[in-house]
Amino acid sequence: MEAQVENAIEIVWNPRSEQSLKAQAFEFLNQLRDEPQGWQVCLSLAVRDPRSSDIVRHVALDVINHAVQVGQLGPQHLRVLRENIMAYVRDVYGGTNSRLDSTSIQNKITQTLTYLFVSTYSSEWTTFFHDILALAASNDGSLQNNIPGILLYLRTLISVHDEIADVMVSKSPDEQKRHRDLKDMVRQRDAAAIASSWLEMLSKWRQRDDTITELCLSTIGRWVSWTDIALVVNQSLLDILFELLNTPPNTLQENDSNPKRDAAIETIIEIIGKKMSGSDKLELIEILKVKEVVSQLVNSPALTELRTTFNYDTDLAESVAKLVNNTVFDVVKALEGAQDGYPISQRGISQLHSFVPFVLRFFSDEYDEVCSTVIPCLTDLLTLLRNKMKSHSSLYLECSGMLPAILDAVIAKMRYDETASWGNEDAQTDEAEFQELRKRLQILQQAVAAVDVNLCLDRFNNVVISTFDKFQTQHGQLDWRDLDLAMHQMYLFGELTVKDGGLYSKTKPVSPAAECLIGTMFKLVESDVASSPHPAIQLQYMELCVRYSAFFEANVNLIPRALTKFVEFIHHNHVKVRARSWYLFLRFSKSLRQHIGNIAEHVIQAMSDLLPIKAELPENASDIDDMSSDENDQSASARFHSQLYLYEVIGCICSANAVPMDNQVRFIRSVITPLFSDLEAHLNAAKAGDERASLQVHHLIMALGTLARGFSDWTPANTSSTSPPPATIISEEFTQTAEAILLALESLSSSFEIREAARFSFSRLIGVLGSRILPQLPRWIDGLLSQASTKDEMALFLKLLDQVVYGFKSEIFDILNTLLTPFLQRVFSGINEPASGTDDEIQLAELKREYLTFLLNLMNNNLASALVSETNQPAFSAVITTIEHLAKDITDYPTAKLAFAVLTKMVGVWGGADVVAISQQTDRAASTTAQPSLPGFDQFMITHFSPLCWAILSNPDFNSKDAQGKQALGEAAILQKTIFTKTGRSYLTYLRDAELRNMGMGDDSINEYLNALSGLDAKGFRQFFQALVQRTTQ
């Protein structure tokens, strides 16, 4: 059997084994794990001499550990296992065997001992720790002279802690109780002896063996969290810890490490982290002399002399920063509930004053990893000060003096360091990490402002004004990092003004913060900071102009100066500045369009050289129209999509009220005429299959649509829109644009890219053409819904038609009546086409939902008559059939729910007046006859729509507990309730005599159902129907 197991393990491990053979071997080993006697075979493989291979022993020990852990072994078998394992470890680790196990096998044996401890310590193996510690003695009886035994003992202690005391591991309630009991027994029986062994080991080995020292300290750090702290915090052990902290490295060379010192620091961190009352924690901090320890480490050569060199010990800095962070966290926690004047309050305040300088030392460290380590405690400290300030505590008065130093450190840390290289592609990761750090620093600055806003105003004003003054006096030679810091502060400062309602109220600053920011904006423009040659400053300048465009609305005389800079930057040779400036120029122009009209012509002329479009084929066809969000994207597609912002800028500027109408027409023609010519020049080549020409046509169509969007924000039928519809003369100009796009679309309707560009422009032309687009609608549909159109394209176009239907309502009826049937037939073909693949299934589901939404919009906008007109009557049955099919589809509950909603709307529209009001009783319905607006529709909805409510239940895969399925049922219930309100007694009679009885319902159930339908309101009946279905399908 041993040979069979060993062979199976070797087969599984061997990468050259045949897959079928490996699968058989793997299955065999899985069965071995569950075999009651399997552990015995594995025990022999694990401890026999000569030894098996490491992989065989590893798997064998894993099977043994599994058997112990899941309780397969009884007391007798546990005893046998214990005796064999202990015999083995005594032989190998007892000092006589020079051939030790590999690290992986040692870990597995330690795990075996741990599981035996959990299973037997409470009753059978009460001498567990004594027996393992005995391995540390040499054969001559010398105490703790056997290094392999000492290491195994310490590893076992760590493993025991990880098994029964690690709070990060999720455990069942039974496991938690079992482990609590074990910890209680350990504390009672062996904790003192174990602590004594630590002291003895450190006393003997701290100068002789770093591994033993580090492992012992690591063990202490773990065990202190759940054992009596007095066993650790005693003078003997503290003297050793302080000695290890003082141990200097051999040299001050790069990568020179001091592992014993680092382990001692970590141990102190773990000791401080032990749970206890606030007063006890403050006393513990003093007993451990944490202040003296930190001071000594901060002033050590590794953290002072080497701080500005490449040999700076960042690992040590992080460790000490962690010690400071955890200490301050505990001090703050102790002070949270402390009352003024109590000893705990005075002691805590004193410790805060002692440690805050250390916090700021590491917070200002050049390495962001070190800085980030103390941000949590700084956040907690500021939260404490804010709470104490609100409660008028004396603690705030005693500690508020810390705020200026904290705020100064936060602002200084936001500055790019001297090694930063802005815009370098190789430094993108560092840049992203720094921006993430800035976000965390912003939170700290906001926390300071929440405590003392006047301090923040003062510091902000000093930093920004003094920096801009230096820029002027030094004639623009100031370090870009200082300018960036000042401008970043201005950007962040907007958060304060937002809370106060912006910058101005009736041309006056709304708050001191707004007044301060307005002053710095004047200084920004007047000091000509934008003349700095550094790209980062130029970008910041534009960002600030856009963010605080309200400043320019109140100071229109400064707009030309800002526009001059924008025009300069949109021609920048740095790709990042140029691409971003095109977008920011749009934002700036859009918000100030009414104030730019008088210089519109100059602006358009200044940017005219950027307007010509030159399509470039991408290296990969899949990259076409890939609108990357990466600011560093320099692809041709990204450049073109940024260029579109310029066309929208022209639309915004030209449409300003200050621009005379004839000038608007002239500006439009000056832009679209070259585009028309270019479109005509490339059309034939595109039809011939020239890819670059086709891409050029695509780009030109999108440019024309984007120009239209810039010209008008008006949306038909949108009463909330503040923008008026464009003038007739403007609409006529863009009618030519639509005609040009349609000609291109009709010529290249087989091209997906052309259809996409045309759909893009169609949605943007609606706002500028208004009802003039309606006569062209059939041509748009023919072009956009070609035989090659995908389901996704159909769904997107249905969304656009929803926009048209909503915007023009009755104006569209005649056109809609004409084109509805051929349009719906194309949609039906898309719905009926089988899906091939996951993406296609998603698109199909989206198309179904958009189709149903389109039908709802027709009825919601009084266009339902188009569905049943003489022209479209032949297609109406197909509409009903499609809806009925979608309502029964349990593979897509959201669509089924929407289908029921459409049917309910049809009942509401064509069912006539209500014959049963919601508040009326059943007997009132008996005297009223249904009067549907569509003749015969009352019986049609009873006999066709009502059975659908039960059809989904007949599907064996229907799950009434599914949340989405339950929602579909709710919509089906609303349909029934609506049919009842329109038909009254005739519906109840149909349900009683036909539908419900044919389903097998008895008289009592039928009466209960009809009473609920007629007596409950819509919400009540929905809940009744859902509960009924859930009961009957269980």
Side-chain angles (χ1 to χ4, degrees):
M1 184 65 173
E2 290 180 22
Q4 190 177 3
V5 174
E6 187 171 10
N7 187 41
I9 296 172
E10 295 289 0
I11 290 172
V12 171
W13 179 252
N14 189 350
R16 297 186 180 88
S17 299
E18 294 182 5
Q19 289 300 318
S20 59
L21 187 61
K22 184 177 289 191
Q24 294 177 24
F26 192 77
E27 179 64 26
F28 171 77
L29 293 176
N30 278 335
Q31 293 175 0
L32 184 69
R33 286 170 64 89
D34 299 327
E35 181 66 34
Q37 306 304 319
W39 68 273
Q40 294 177 329
V41 179
C42 292
L43 177 60
S44 177
L45 289 173
V47 301
R48 77 182 183 186
D49 192 14
R51 296 177 181 176
S52 305
S53 66
D54 269 10
I55 184 58
V56 170
R57 299 179 67 205
H58 188 280
V59 174
L61 285 168
D62 189 67
V63 172
I64 295 169
N65 294 342
H66 172 74
V68 178
Q69 188 180 26
V70 301
Q72 288 182 1
L73 278 63
Q76 184 176 353
H77 287 156
L78 286 171
R79 194 176 305 114
V80 171
L81 176 60
R82 184 188 80 193
E83 290 171 355
N84 279 272
I85 290 294
M86 284 305 296
Y88 176 81
V89 296
R90 288 191 186 100
D91 179 54
V92 176
Y93 300 95
T96 59
N97 195 328
S98 59
R99 187 185 171 197
L100 298 176
D101 294 317
S102 64
T103 301
S104 63
I105 298 300
Q106 290 184 42
N107 291 337
K108 275 296 176 185
I109 289 175
T110 300
Q111 192 178 48
T112 305
L113 291 170
T114 301
Y115 290 149
L116 283 170
F117 161 81
V118 173
S119 300
T120 63
Y121 181 71
S122 61
S123 56
E124 289 284 328
W125 200 0
T126 58
T127 60
F128 173 83
F129 294 107
H130 179 271
D131 293 346
I132 305 299
L133 180 59
L135 298 172
S138 299
N139 286 339
D140 59 5
S142 302
L143 187 61
Q144 297 190 9
N145 279 337
N146 178 28
I147 293 178
I150 294 173
L151 294 176
L152 182 67
Y153 167 71
L154 292 172
R155 289 194 181 101
T156 303
L157 291 180
I158 291 174
S159 180
V160 167
H161 162 84
D162 292 346
E163 179 65 22
I164 69 172
D166 190 343
V167 296
M168 301 303 293
V169 178
S170 178
K171 300 172 183 176
S172 67
D174 290 341
E175 286 179 316
Q176 293 177 19
K177 182 180 184 306
R178 185 181 186 185
H179 292 167
R180 280 197 303 269
D181 293 342
L182 284 172
K183 287 188 288 186
D184 289 340
M185 284 184 275
V186 171
R187 283 189 283 257
Q188 182 180 359
R189 296 175 185 173
D190 294 302
I194 292 171
S196 178
S197 71
W198 294 332
L199 182 58
E200 187 172 350
M201 289 177 185
L202 288 174
S203 300
K204 186 162 188 168
W205 292 100
R206 68 181 184 276
Q207 300 298 338
R208 298 166 57 186
D209 193 295
D210 288 357
T211 303
I212 291 178
T213 304
E214 292 173 51
L215 204 56
C216 187
L217 291 173
S218 179
T219 306
I220 294 171
R222 283 172 163 84
W223 279 59
V224 71
S225 64
W226 56 279
T227 54
D228 186 357
I229 196 169
L231 298 175
V232 174
V233 182
N234 56 67
Q235 197 58 49
S236 300
L237 191 55
L238 291 180
D239 288 343
I240 293 174
L241 284 176
F242 296 149
E243 177 188 324
L244 294 172
L245 289 169
N246 287 324
T247 303
N250 296 327
T251 61
L252 292 181
Q253 299 299 318
E254 185 177 3
N255 297 325
D256 189 47
S257 61
N258 193 335
K260 292 189 292 187
R261 178 201 58 200
D262 297 341
I265 295 172
E266 192 62 35
T267 301
I268 292 178
I269 292 173
E270 294 295 340
I271 293 173
I272 291 176
K274 184 175 176 64
K275 292 182 179 180
M276 59 185 69
S277 67
S279 58
D280 289 343
K281 183 61 66 74
L282 297 182
E283 183 179 359
L284 176 64
I285 291 170
E286 292 181 355
I287 292 173
L288 293 175
K289 300 180 180 178
V290 180
K291 174 189 172 184
E292 291 78 4
V293 167
V294 172
S295 178
Q296 172 187 315
L297 291 168
V298 166
N299 294 311
S300 66
L303 297 184
T304 52
E305 297 174 19
L306 301 181
R307 182 174 178 180
T308 57
T309 71
F310 290 109
N311 297 332
Y312 181 50
D313 192 342
T314 54
D315 291 336
L316 174 61
E318 278 194 69
S319 294
V320 182
K322 182 180 177 182
L323 174 58
V324 171
N325 179 77
N326 292 9
T327 302
V328 173
F329 170 80
D330 285 325
V331 173
V332 169
K333 190 174 181 180
L335 287 171
E336 284 176 351
Q339 297 182 4
D340 293 345
Y342 279 66
I344 183 175
S345 180
Q346 295 303 316
R347 176 181 277 181
I349 291 172
S350 175
Q351 292 185 1
L352 274 185
H353 281 289
S354 298
F355 281 98
V356 165
F358 297 136
V359 173
L360 297 181
R361 151 63 182 89
F362 290 109
F363 180 79
S364 60
D365 195 276
E366 291 78 4
Y367 288 85
D368 294 342
E369 298 85 351
V370 179
C371 166
S372 297
T373 304
V374 295
I375 287 180
C377 76
L378 205 51
T379 303
D380 292 337
L381 173 59
L382 292 172
T383 302
L384 173 71
L385 292 178
R386 183 183 62 194
N387 293 336
K388 295 298 182 181
M389 181 265 295
K390 289 181 178 178
S391 62
H392 306 289
S393 170
S394 62
L395 182 147
Y396 170 70
L397 298 177
E398 295 186 55
C399 297
S400 59
M402 304 173 181
L403 287 173
I406 293 174
L407 181 58
D408 289 343
V410 170
I411 294 175
K413 192 63 186 176
M414 287 184 177
R415 184 182 185 272
Y416 277 96
D417 62 40
E418 300 299 329
T419 61
S421 179
W422 188 92
N424 191 334
E425 289 189 13
D426 296 334
Q428 287 183 28
T429 301
D430 293 339
E431 172 70 15
E433 291 176 350
F434 178 63
Q435 294 304 328
E436 191 61 34
L437 176 63
R438 273 186 163 181
K439 292 178 183 177
R440 300 180 67 187
L441 296 172
Q442 178 187 357
I443 295 173
L444 288 177
Q445 189 167 350
Q446 290 172 343
V448 175
V451 180
D452 190 343
V453 68
N454 291 326
L455 173 65
C456 287
L457 290 176
D458 180 63
R459 286 295 193 276
F460 165 78
N461 204 51
N462 288 342
V463 168
V464 176
I465 298 300
S466 63
T467 300
F468 291 166
D469 283 342
K470 288 179 184 178
F471 179 79
Q472 283 184 295
T473 57
Q474 297 178 18
H475 306 291
Q477 299 304 308
L478 188 65
D479 191 326
W480 71 270
R481 298 170 182 82
D482 294 324
L483 279 175
D484 174 82
L485 175 62
M487 298 172 81
H488 182 66
Q489 284 294 304
M490 289 181 66
Y491 192 87
L492 298 183
F493 206 73
E495 300 296 332
L496 281 179
T497 62
V498 167
K499 292 190 298 184
D500 297 325
L503 292 180
Y504 293 96
S505 175
K506 297 180 180 178
T507 71
K508 293 185 178 297
V510 298
S511 66
E515 185 176 5
C516 189
L517 183 56
I518 290 168
T520 58
M521 282 298 295
F522 273 114
K523 195 70 176 177
L524 174 75
V525 178
E526 292 169 355
S527 61
D528 198 22
V529 171
S531 64
S532 169
H534 199 278
I537 305 307
Q538 296 164 350
L539 273 178
Q540 281 274 44
Y541 177 84
M542 290 185 287
E543 296 280 2
L544 289 173
C545 289
V546 170
R547 185 171 175 84
Y548 304 121
S549 58
F551 166 79
F552 291 97
E553 287 190 72
N555 300 277
V556 293
N557 59 306
L558 298 178
I559 292 178
R561 295 181 64 173
L563 275 176
T564 301
K565 290 301 178 183
F566 270 97
V567 170
E568 176 185 336
F569 295 150
I570 62 176
H571 291 84
H572 207 286
N573 56 8
H574 193 292
V575 62
K576 187 173 181 180
V577 175
R578 185 173 63 250
R580 181 66 177 167
S581 68
W582 290 354
Y583 168 71
L584 293 173
F585 191 23
L586 169 62
R587 293 274 308 277
F588 189 72
S589 302
K590 210 166 190 176
S591 58
L592 299 171
R593 66 196 303 175
Q594 300 306 331
H595 304 288
I596 301 177
N598 56 339
I599 55 173
E601 186 166 7
H602 298 292
V603 175
I604 293 173
Q605 289 175 351
M607 58 190 294
S608 61
D609 60 314
L610 299 174
L611 296 180
I613 292 173
K614 184 178 180 181
E616 300 177 43
L617 289 174
E619 294 180 5
N620 299 311
S622 60
D623 291 340
I624 294 179
D625 292 338
D626 176 21
M627 297 184 67
S628 174
S629 61
D630 187 354
E631 291 181 3
N632 298 300
D633 187 359
Q634 300 180 27
S635 67
S637 176
R639 289 196 299 274
F640 166 67
H641 282 96
S642 293
Q643 189 180 18
L644 289 178
Y645 295 133
L646 299 179
Y647 281 91
E648 192 168 351
V649 167
I650 291 178
C652 287
I653 295 175
C654 291
S655 59
N657 294 334
V659 179
M661 198 60 62
D662 57 342
N663 282 353
Q664 290 189 30
V665 173
R666 182 164 56 87
F667 294 155
I668 293 173
R669 290 175 179 174
S670 70
V671 176
I672 64 175
T673 300
L675 295 178
F676 287 168
S677 300
D678 204 2
L679 189 63
E680 184 179 6
H682 286 86
L683 201 55
N684 288 331
K687 287 193 287 186
D690 187 316
E691 290 187 26
R692 202 204 72 79
S694 180
L695 186 60
Q696 181 75 8
V697 172
H698 166 275
H699 286 7
L700 293 168
I701 291 174
M702 293 191 72
L704 289 168
T706 304
L707 178 68
R709 178 167 69 175
F711 229 94
S712 176
D713 290 334
W714 175 73
T715 302
N718 185 359
T719 57
S720 63
S721 176
T722 57
S723 302
T728 301
I729 190 173
I730 299 298
S731 296
E732 290 175 352
E733 291 296 322
F734 279 103
T735 301
Q736 300 177 38
T737 299
E739 184 66 29
I741 295 173
L742 278 170
L743 288 173
L745 175 62
E746 289 167 344
S747 300
L748 300 169
S749 62
S750 61
S751 168
F752 170 81
E753 289 76 20
I754 299 302
R755 293 196 305 271
E756 183 183 46
R759 186 172 61 250
F760 171 91
S761 295
F762 174 77
S763 66
R764 287 149 180 80
L765 285 167
I766 292 173
V768 73
L769 290 182
S771 59
R772 285 179 175 79
I773 203 170
L774 297 181
Q776 298 176 335
L777 198 55
R779 296 172 64 193
W780 283 105
I781 293 177
D782 285 339
L784 293 175
L785 294 186
S786 70
Q787 295 300 320
S789 295
T790 64
K791 298 179 181 66
D792 191 43
E793 289 182 80
M794 292 183 186
L796 290 172
F797 189 69
L798 279 167
K799 287 183 179 179
L800 289 179
L801 277 187
D802 289 340
Q803 183 181 348
V804 174
V805 166
Y806 175 77
F808 301 108
K809 295 182 173 62
S810 58
E811 294 179 74
I812 198 178
F813 180 84
D814 291 337
I815 295 173
L816 184 66
N817 190 47
T818 303
L819 60 83
L820 188 59
T821 293
F823 169 68
L824 288 177
Q825 287 173 346
R826 295 191 187 184
V827 175
F828 293 156
S829 65
I831 292 176
N832 294 327
E833 183 181 329
S836 56
T838 304
D839 291 343
D840 208 24
E841 289 177 357
I842 294 173
Q843 291 181 10
L844 178 58
E846 183 67 19
L847 175 59
K848 291 175 180 176
R849 285 191 283 271
E850 289 302 329
Y851 161 66
L852 294 171
T853 302
F854 173 71
L855 295 178
L856 272 177
N857 282 330
L858 289 181
M859 292 182 282
N860 286 333
N861 289 282
N862 299 319
L863 293 171
S865 55
L867 288 169
V868 292
S869 67
E870 183 178 352
T871 303
N872 298 307
Q873 185 69 43
F876 184 64
S877 60
V879 171
I880 296 296
T881 301
T882 308
I883 299 172
E884 290 175 346
H885 172 73
L886 297 178
K888 294 186 288 187
D889 186 5
I890 68 167
T891 63
D892 188 357
Y893 286 128
T895 300
K897 175 188 174 184
L898 192 55
F900 278 117
V902 173
L903 295 174
T904 301
K905 186 64 180 179
M906 286 181 171
V907 171
V909 171
W910 292 315
D914 292 352
V915 299
V916 180
I918 295 176
S919 60
Q920 290 175 331
Q921 301 299 315
T922 307
D923 55 358
R924 172 65 189 273
S927 60
T928 309
T929 304
Q931 298 177 343
S933 57
L934 198 64
F937 193 72
D938 54 335
Q939 289 303 310
F940 182 83
M941 61 190 180
I942 289 176
T943 57
H944 284 74
F945 292 177
S946 181
L948 291 174
C949 301
W950 303 95
I952 58 175
L953 307 182
S954 62
N955 193 312
D957 295 327
F958 174 72
N959 181 9
S960 61
K961 295 181 180 179
D962 185 282
Q964 292 183 325
K966 194 174 181 180
Q967 290 178 354
L969 286 177
E971 205 63 49
I974 298 300
L975 173 60
Q976 295 176 76
K977 189 69 179 178
T978 308
I979 294 173
F980 171 68
T981 61
K982 299 296 182 182
T983 59
R985 175 64 66 182
S986 61
Y987 184 40
L988 298 180
T989 302
Y990 169 79
L991 289 174
R992 179 188 299 277
D993 297 340
E995 188 169 300
L996 299 181
R997 196 167 300 282
N998 291 340
M999 291 169 50
M1001 277 194 184
D1003 289 339
D1004 292 341
S1005 298
I1006 291 175
N1007 289 333
E1008 179 190 10
Y1009 191 87
L1010 298 182
N1011 289 335
L1013 177 61
S1014 59
L1016 297 175
D1017 61 10
K1019 181 179 179 181
F1021 181 68
R1022 181 174 63 230
Q1023 294 172 344
F1024 168 82
F1025 186 66
Q1026 290 169 334
L1028 173 66
V1029 171
Q1030 194 160 354
R1031 285 200 313 269
T1032 56
T1033 55
Q1034 284 180 347

